[in-house]
């Protein structure tokens, strides 16, 4: 009798485990994935072949870098209204002046839930959308094996320096020529955690032995957790960050070559709710500022408009183009066109074609009926128009026709990129409702 009871209990436990497994299978959808990163640097397309005999484009390589040095300042839990709202006006005067009158482009970057640090760093550097499973591994971040901007930069010989949240050191081991990680778990520390980053600045900004500098400041996030977004401490911390951005910007401008400018990127990984927490999907948690500051851009003029909404995943594609690197294979992001808007029409078309090729290839590898996808169809139409533009260009046509056709092709590509990105992003968020329902029934019935 005791044996039968044991067998029955074991059977119930196994069925319960099966129910939980089925539910988890549905709740954590299979991510969009491409080839392993060791194969990610080859197989780049040339420009679309122009129609007609004897005409061949000679542009088959990755375009060269647009920026000499790039500095990324990631301010943890930086909400969009901390920069673009009244707090920005009051506590970040230098940054606000650069946004309104300087050579910069401003955006609001939308982060997808879960709005916690490790998945957001993944999104920023791979261009992919991490899932809720990443919340579990957020506390003990393993090395990131997916194709990503940091790996591409290191493989291309870029020298990368990092100071700040040690999550980066865990995600990208052996990628930095120099680093100093700080832990994020002492949330009552508002000061030292940032001072340990800033103390390196004077020295590193004078040096020429780096190409990419990444700074991740944690103090604002800690203040939010302990005292909330309306605490007086928030204003003091924003003022501190404004002074740091001023120092970096002035230093980059002072050491710049006219033909090869530098770039300063300011962003947040996520925002914070009205209670100072994060992880969910409220507007305060998902909307973060994204600033590109460089002398390569035209000085702003005319009335100031509210920043356009982009996706956080768009940063990886945009920085890849800016650094002259391949776009990460698993990226679902779009190139933020204004950042390259000062380049020639041929260069701009080359950039969006590379982005479209990467997205369409990712779609092919994850969708059996990819040819029927509207984004893929739009991309193929844009490619044909691009080929006609190249034909006119190689024939030496410099008329208004060439310019107008170029603008039309650019618009076609941007529409294709938007649709392709949307199709791929939907796949990531597609839950297997059948598995979840069956799993739930099994769990509740026992």
């Amino acid at each position: 009798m005791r044996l039968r009871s044991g067998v029955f209990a074991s059977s119930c436990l196994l069925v319960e485990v099966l129910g939980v497994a089925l539910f988890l299978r549905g709740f954590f959808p299979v991510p969009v994935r491409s080839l392993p990163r060791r194969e990610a640097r080859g197989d780049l397309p040339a420009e679309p072949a122009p129609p007609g005999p004897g005409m061949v484009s000679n542009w088959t390589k990755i375009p060269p870098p647009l920026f000499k040095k790039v500095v990324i300042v990631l301010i943890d839990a930086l909400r969009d209204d901390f920069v673009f709202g009244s707090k920005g006006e009051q506590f970040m005067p230098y940054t606000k002046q650069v946004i309104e009158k300087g050579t910069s482009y401003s955006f609001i970057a939308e982060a997808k839930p879960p709005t916690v640090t490790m998945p957001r760093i993944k999104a920023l550097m791979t261009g992919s959308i991490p899932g809720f499973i990443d919340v579990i591994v957020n506390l003990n971040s393993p090395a990131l094996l997916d194709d990503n901007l940091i790996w591409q930069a290191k493989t291309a010989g870029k020298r990368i320096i990092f100071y700040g949240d040690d999550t980066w050191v865990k995600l990208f081991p052996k990628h930095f020529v120099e680093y100093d990680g700080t832990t994020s778990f002492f949330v009552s520390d508002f000061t030292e955690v940032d001072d340990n980053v800033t103390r390196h600045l004077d020295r590193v900004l004078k040096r020429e032995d780096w190409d990419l500098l990444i700074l991740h400041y944690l103090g604002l996030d800690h203040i939010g957790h302990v005292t909330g977004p309306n605490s007086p401490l928030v204003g003091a911390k924003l003022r501190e960050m404004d002074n740091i951005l001023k120092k970096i910007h002035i230093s980059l401008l002072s050491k710049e070559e006219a033909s090869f400018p530098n770039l300063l990127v300011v962003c947040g990984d996520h925002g914070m709710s009205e209670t100072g927490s994060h992880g969910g999907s409220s507007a305060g948690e998902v909307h973060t500022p994204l600033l590109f500051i460089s002398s390569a851009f035209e000085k702003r003029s005319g009335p100031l408009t509210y920043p356009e909404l982009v996706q956080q995943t768009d940063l990886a594609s945009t920085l890849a183009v800016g650094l002259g690197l391949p776009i990460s294979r698993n990226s679902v992001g779009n190139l933020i066109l204004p950042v390259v808007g000062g380049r020639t029409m041929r260069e701009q078309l080359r950039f969006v074609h590379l982005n479209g090729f990467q997205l369409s290839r990712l779609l092919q590898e994850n969708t059996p009926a990819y040819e029927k996808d509207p984004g893929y169809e739009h991309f193929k139409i844009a490619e044909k128009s691009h080929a006609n533009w190249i034909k006119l260009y190689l024939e030496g046509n410099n008329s208004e026709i060439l310019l107008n056709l170029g603008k039309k092709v650019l618009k076609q590509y941007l529409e294709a990129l938007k649709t392709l990105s949307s199709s791929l992003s939907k796949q990531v968020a597609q839950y297997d409702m059948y598995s979840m329902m069956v799993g739930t029934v099994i769990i509740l019935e026992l």
Side-chain angles (χ1 to χ4, degrees):
M1 189 71 178
R2 191 175 295 172
L3 179 62
R4 287 180 182 176
S5 298
V7 171
F8 178 73
S10 298
S11 300
C12 288
L13 181 62
L14 285 171
V15 174
E16 191 85 11
V17 169
L18 175 64
V20 172
L22 274 172
F23 180 86
L24 292 176
R25 180 184 180 276
F27 187 71
F28 297 123
V30 177
V32 172
R33 283 291 181 268
S34 186
L35 295 175
R37 74 180 186 186
R38 65 177 177 274
E39 302 173 35
R41 288 190 63 82
D43 193 27
L44 283 167
E47 286 180 310
M55 298 198 75
V56 181
S57 168
N58 58 358
W59 199 350
T60 58
K61 296 181 180 178
I62 299 172
L66 308 181
F67 305 103
K68 183 181 180 183
K69 290 181 181 294
V70 174
V71 179
I72 301 172
V73 181
L74 192 159
I75 302 172
D76 209 293
L78 185 67
R79 283 189 351 186
D80 62 327
D81 61 324
F82 286 177
V83 174
F84 303 127
S86 58
K87 282 187 172 68
E89 292 275 2
Q90 185 176 359
F91 301 115
M92 302 190 78
Y94 185 82
T95 304
K96 197 71 177 177
Q97 182 184 11
V98 171
I99 290 170
E100 293 178 354
K101 299 177 182 177
T103 53
S104 67
Y105 288 107
S106 307
F107 303 92
I108 294 175
E110 183 179 31
K112 301 296 185 188
T115 48
V116 292
T117 295
M118 191 273 284
R120 297 301 96 223
I121 294 173
K122 278 189 175 182
L124 287 164
M125 293 296 105
T126 67
S128 61
I129 302 176
F132 281 91
I133 190 70
D134 288 289
V135 177
I136 299 169
V137 297
N138 185 59
L139 299 177
N140 185 27
S141 310
L144 181 60
L145 300 179
D146 291 348
D147 185 17
N148 62 79
L149 184 80
I150 302 296
W151 178 78
Q152 290 283 5
K154 182 177 183 291
T155 305
K158 304 281 185 187
R159 299 157 299 179
I160 313 167
I161 293 177
F162 172 77
Y163 307 122
D165 186 344
D166 62 4
T167 304
W168 290 77
V169 181
K170 296 171 186 174
L171 285 173
F172 308 107
K174 301 180 181 177
H175 285 66
F176 306 121
V177 295
E178 182 181 311
Y179 65 87
D180 185 8
T182 57
T183 181
S184 61
F185 288 109
F186 298 108
V187 293
S188 58
D189 175 13
F190 308 153
T191 307
E192 278 191 38
V193 72
D194 287 345
D195 289 347
N196 285 334
V197 177
T198 305
R199 66 191 175 96
H200 297 285
L201 276 185
D202 287 334
R203 178 177 53 85
V204 78
L205 290 173
K206 293 175 184 175
R207 290 160 44 186
E208 293 292 335
D209 60 344
W210 56 271
D211 304 292
L212 176 59
L213 172 64
I214 304 171
L215 311 170
H216 186 148
Y217 284 94
L218 286 163
L220 182 64
D221 179 70
H222 290 186
I223 290 170
H225 281 297
V226 176
T227 66
N230 299 312
S231 162
L233 296 174
V234 168
K237 181 56 69 174
L238 291 177
R239 189 177 285 112
E240 178 189 340
M241 294 295 104
D242 189 56
N243 289 330
I244 288 164
L245 294 175
K246 180 179 180 180
K247 175 183 283 193
I248 295 169
H249 186 216
I250 291 172
S251 175
L252 289 177
L253 288 175
S254 68
K255 303 177 72 176
E256 189 167 84
E257 301 170 19
S259 59
F260 204 10
N262 299 318
L263 174 67
L264 171 60
V265 178
V266 184
C267 61
D269 51 348
H270 52 74
M272 65 173 76
S273 70
E274 287 306 309
T275 61
S277 63
H278 56 86
S281 58
S282 70
E285 292 169 276
V286 301
H287 288 161
T288 64
L290 177 58
L291 312 179
F292 296 90
I293 303 168
S294 174
S295 63
F297 309 143
E298 290 185 6
K299 188 167 281 193
R300 294 193 66 90
S301 60
L304 189 68
T305 56
Y306 201 71
E308 178 188 345
L309 184 71
V310 298
Q311 295 301 308
Q312 195 178 58
T313 49
D314 296 341
L315 181 65
S317 304
T318 305
L319 284 182
V321 168
L323 288 165
L325 304 170
I327 296 171
S328 301
R329 291 291 292 261
N330 298 323
S331 172
V332 299
N334 292 344
L335 171 66
I336 300 174
L337 193 66
V339 177
V340 300
R343 311 301 292 190
T344 66
M345 180 59 72
R346 190 183 186 189
E347 288 175 305
Q348 291 184 58
L349 292 175
R350 176 67 170 151
F351 297 146
V352 290
H353 177 245
L354 286 171
N355 194 182
F357 178 84
Q358 171 264 322
L359 287 171
S360 61
R361 180 171 56 184
L362 188 61
L363 186 77
Q364 290 176 49
E365 293 167 356
N366 288 274
T367 308
Y370 67 89
E371 290 178 325
K372 296 179 181 178
D373 185 271
Y376 186 82
E377 292 174 350
H378 291 162
F379 175 67
K380 287 301 176 184
I381 292 169
E383 264 195 327
K384 287 181 181 177
S385 300
H386 191 180
N388 291 326
W389 185 91
I390 291 169
K391 182 175 185 293
L392 288 174
Y393 177 84
L394 294 177
E395 287 173 348
N397 189 321
N398 292 313
S399 68
E400 189 102 3
I401 296 172
L402 186 71
L403 178 63
N404 290 335
L405 179 59
K407 290 178 179 177
K408 178 187 173 184
V409 178
L410 206 54
K411 189 175 179 181
Q412 288 177 332
Y413 269 131
L414 292 176
E415 184 62 35
L417 294 182
K418 186 178 178 181
T419 312
L420 283 166
S421 178
S422 177
S423 296
L424 290 162
S425 299
K426 284 175 184 174
Q427 286 190 39
V428 177
Q430 219 169 35
Y431 298 102
D432 185 348
M433 298 304 296
Y434 179 76
S435 295
M436 290 172 69
M437 289 171 66
V438 172
T440 302
V441 169
I442 291 173
I443 294 166
L444 293 177
E445 285 297 314
L446 287 175

